[in-house]
Amino acid sequence: MRRGRPDPWYARPAAGGALDPLVPDPSPAGPLDVGETGAAAPHVGHPNRLRQSLRITADLGGEFFAGAQAGETFSFVSLLDRQPVVVTRHPEHVRSLFAADPDIAPSLAGESPVRPIVGLSVLTAVGQQHRRRRKLMMPSFHGEAITRYREEIVAATDRHLDRWEPGTAFPLAATTQAITLDVIMSGVFGIDHRAAPAEARLRHVVRQTLRLSVGPLAQFAELLNLDREESVGPQKWVVRRLDRATYDVIAARRAEHEPGARHDILSLLLDVRDEDGAPLTDRELRNELLTLVLAGHETTANSIAWTFERLLRTPAAYDRLRDVVRSGEDPDGYLEATITESMRVRPVVPLIGRRVRVPWRLGDVVVPPDSRLLIGVLLLHHRPDLYPDPFRFAPERFLGRKPGTHEWLPFGGGTRRCLGAALAMEELRIVVAEIARRADLVVDTAAPERPIHRNVTMIPGRGGRVRVAALRQ
C-alpha cells in the first residue's frame, strides 16, 4: 500500500469551494445470483501477512487511503485470515451489508479484539444471541433513561470543568473520559463519584485499564490475543483484575437488591428472567456491564476530544461555535452540525466488519464466501462525491442537512447500530457546548494530532492536548 502514498491523510490541506454533495455512481451489491461472475478485488499492500498486519496496526488510515487508490474495493493479506481481507467504501455496498440476513453476513464483532476482554455480550454476540441481548438492553438507552442520564452529564461536566485553571495544559481526553466514566458508572452500576469502597475500587481498576490500553505493551497484547475468546499474556492479568472488582460489586448488589427500587442497568438486569424463568448469571452480568463501561464511555470521550482537536485548528468554526453557545441561541443547529462533522472526519470506530458466508457482489468485484469484508468508515466519510473537499473541517456542510443512513456511520448501522447512540449524542451536545461556553482553549502546535489505533478505535495521538487561555462562569 505504501507505493505512491501522499502526505499523511490527516494533514492534507483544505481546498475550499462548494460543499454540495453529489450522488455516487451506481455500484450494485449483494449476494451473487446463480451464474453471475466478477473479478477479484485488486490486491494492495505487502504480501507478507505479518508485515502487512503490523503496518495496519501502526497506521490504519494511511494504509487504507493508499489502498483506496486501487478503487472502490481492494484487498490485503492479514494474520486474521488465510484468504485476503476485502475493504469497501461505497454506500450501496454498505446498504447491502446492513440489510443482509445475519445468517449469511454475520457481524465480525464476534471476532473483535475486545472479545477476550468483555466476553460474549451485546457487542460481541451474533445472530439470535445478539437479538436477545439487544432486546434486554435497549430500554436502558431510550426515553426516560436518557432524561435521567442528562442530569448526571450536566453535573459531571460542571464538576470536572470547575477544576480547570487558566494557563494549564493537558490532554482534553483525560477530562472527557472522567466525565463520561462518571456518567456510564452512574447509569450502569448506580455508582456516583462518592462511591463505597468496592465501587470505588471498580472505578479505579477501570481507569487503570484504560491507561494501560495506550501503553507500550498494548499493541503487542492485542496482536497476541487476535482471534481468541479468552485472554492470554499481559491482557489476562488485566482482565483478572477487572473481574475481581466487577464480581465484588455484583455480589454486593445481589445481596441488597430490591426489585424496582433502583434504575441503574445492573439493578434492572438483576430483575431479568430468560425464557425458562432463570436470572442472568454473574458471568452474563459481568460481560454486559463491562461492555457498556469499557466500550460505552471511551468512544464518546474521544469523540469530544477529536471535536476540539479539529475546532482549535479551524478558528472560524471555533469562533462561531463559541458565539452560538454563549448567546444561548442556535437557530441553524450549528452545535449539532459541528458534532456531526467532527464524527465524519474523525470517526472513533473507523471500520465495520461482516463475514460473508456466500459469494458477494460489490460492483464489478465478487468476494468469495467466508471472506472478512470491512466497511472502511474512514474512507466512506472522505468520499469527495458525498463530502466535497473531504479533508476540510466544515460544520456548515451539515446545516439544514442530515447525513444519509449509509453515508455517515460513526454508530454503525442496521441491526448492529450502537445501542448507546442516543446517550452518546446527548453527552456530546452537553459537554461540547459547556466546554465552548466556559473556556477559551488554544493548542501548543498548529499541526494536527496523528491518529493512533487502540483495539477497534481511532483516538487523538496526544489525547487532544489543549491549554486553557481563559475561563468564564
Side-chain angles (χ1 to χ4, degrees):
M1 292 185 191
R2 293 181 177 251
R3 185 173 57 191
R5 175 182 289 185
D7 292 336
W9 67 269
Y10 53 87
R12 293 185 193 176
L19 298 172
D20 299 327
L22 304 172
V23 177
D25 292 335
S27 185
L32 197 68
D33 291 334
V34 176
E36 284 192 307
T37 60
H43 178 75
V44 299
H46 199 283
N48 181 275
R49 296 177 187 276
L50 175 60
R51 291 185 65 177
Q52 184 56 47
S53 295
L54 291 173
R55 283 183 177 184
I56 289 177
T57 298
D59 185 13
L60 182 147
E63 290 292 305
F64 275 32
F65 275 106
Q69 296 176 38
E72 298 282 12
T73 304
F74 59 89
S75 68
F76 63 91
V77 295
S78 167
L79 290 173
L80 297 174
D81 270 293
R82 291 188 175 276
Q83 59 188 18
V85 178
V86 177
V87 181
T88 187
R89 58 178 182 140
H90 195 286
E92 289 187 19
H93 301 175
V94 174
R95 185 191 305 274
S96 76
L97 292 167
F98 284 175
D101 186 327
D103 291 335
I104 64 170
S107 170
L108 283 176
E111 306 170 39
S112 167
V114 302
R115 172 70 186 269
I117 301 172
V118 302
L120 187 64
S121 70
V122 69
L123 177 65
T124 57
V126 296
Q128 182 59 37
Q129 281 188 325
H130 173 258
R131 288 190 287 271
R132 172 182 172 268
R133 291 168 184 269
R134 187 178 178 91
K135 185 178 179 180
L136 290 178
M137 305 299 293
M138 191 170 290
S140 299
F141 292 97
H142 293 279
E144 292 182 6
I146 297 300
T147 301
R148 290 196 299 270
Y149 296 141
R150 187 178 297 122
E151 297 176 1
E152 177 58 29
I153 298 168
V154 172
T157 304
D158 288 342
R159 191 163 58 244
H160 288 283
L161 295 194
D162 285 344
R163 299 169 186 169
W164 286 6
E165 296 181 359
T168 55
F170 48 88
L172 185 59
T175 293
T176 58
Q177 283 180 357
I179 293 170
T180 57
L181 183 60
D182 282 356
V183 173
I184 204 71
M185 292 296 279
S186 174
V188 172
F189 288 100
I191 298 173
D192 67 17
H193 61 288
R194 301 157 297 189
E199 298 171 336
R201 180 169 173 265
L202 177 58
R203 287 168 61 90
H204 175 69
V205 172
V206 168
R207 287 198 182 98
Q208 279 191 325
T209 301
L210 293 171
R211 284 198 295 271
L212 289 171
S213 69
V214 293
L217 289 178
Q219 289 186 341
F220 169 73
E222 182 179 333
L223 288 172
L224 196 63
N225 283 272
L226 285 177
D227 271 355
R228 293 184 181 272
E229 293 189 3
E230 299 289 338
S231 296
V232 298
Q235 193 178 88
K236 185 174 183 178
W237 175 81
V238 173
V239 170
R240 280 178 175 172
R241 295 190 75 240
L242 271 173
D243 282 352
R244 285 195 295 269
T246 305
Y247 284 130
D248 284 349
V249 171
I250 291 173
R253 190 63 57 79
R254 278 197 189 277
E256 65 184 23
H257 180 62
E258 296 180 17
R262 299 178 60 150
H263 299 288
D264 56 86
I265 294 173
L266 171 54
S267 296
L268 295 176
L269 290 181
L270 287 174
D271 292 334
V272 167
R273 297 293 181 269
D274 65 15
E275 295 84 355
D276 299 321
L280 298 181
T281 66
D282 282 1
R283 181 68 180 181
E284 289 175 314
L285 289 170
R286 173 260 185 214
N287 291 354
E288 298 298 350
L289 300 172
L290 282 186
T291 293
L292 295 176
V293 170
L294 295 178
H297 91 280
E298 189 191 13
T299 49
T300 306
N302 280 299
S303 289
I304 298 167
W306 272 129
T307 298
F308 282 93
E309 191 278 341
R310 292 289 78 209
L311 279 168
L312 297 182
R313 289 167 176 83
T314 316
Y318 184 40
D319 289 346
R320 182 170 178 179
L321 179 66
R322 283 185 297 181
D323 289 344
V324 163
V325 298
R326 291 175 183 181
S327 71
E329 298 179 1
D330 188 12
D332 299 324
Y334 194 76
L335 172 63
E336 191 85 6
T338 299
I339 293 167
T340 304
E341 175 71 341
S342 169
M343 298 175 84
R344 178 191 73 82
V345 297
R346 297 292 189 271
V348 173
V349 179
L351 294 173
I352 299 170
R354 299 288 187 268
R355 185 175 289 282
V356 291
R357 300 298 188 188
V358 298
W360 207 271
R361 174 173 296 284
L362 300 174
D364 295 331
V365 165
V366 170
V367 180
D370 292 320
S371 292
R372 188 182 293 256
L373 205 169
L374 303 179
I375 297 168
V377 176
L378 185 64
L379 300 179
L380 175 71
H381 285 190
H382 285 80
R383 290 184 65 101
D385 47 6
L386 294 176
Y387 303 106
D389 197 2
F391 296 94
R392 173 180 166 195
F393 181 73
E396 56 269 27
R397 75 170 79 240
F398 289 112
L399 292 178
R401 172 192 169 227
K402 290 188 176 182
T405 305
H406 303 107
E407 300 169 2
W408 185 80
L409 308 177
F411 298 113
T415 60
R416 303 287 312 197
R417 189 172 190 270
C418 175
L419 262 177
L423 172 60
M425 288 301 295
E426 192 68 8
E427 287 185 282
L428 279 155
R429 294 183 193 104
I430 292 171
V431 180
V432 169
E434 194 63 5
I435 291 174
R437 185 185 70 80
R438 292 183 56 174
D440 292 327
L441 303 177
V442 295
V443 288
D444 53 11
T445 173
E449 292 198 20
R450 178 182 181 273
I452 61 173
H453 298 275
R454 179 168 65 192
N455 289 325
V456 297
T457 60
M458 182 179 80
I459 64 178
R462 300 174 65 218
R465 190 166 181 82
V466 299
R467 181 167 60 83
V468 180
L471 289 170
R472 295 162 49 98
Q473 293 300 319

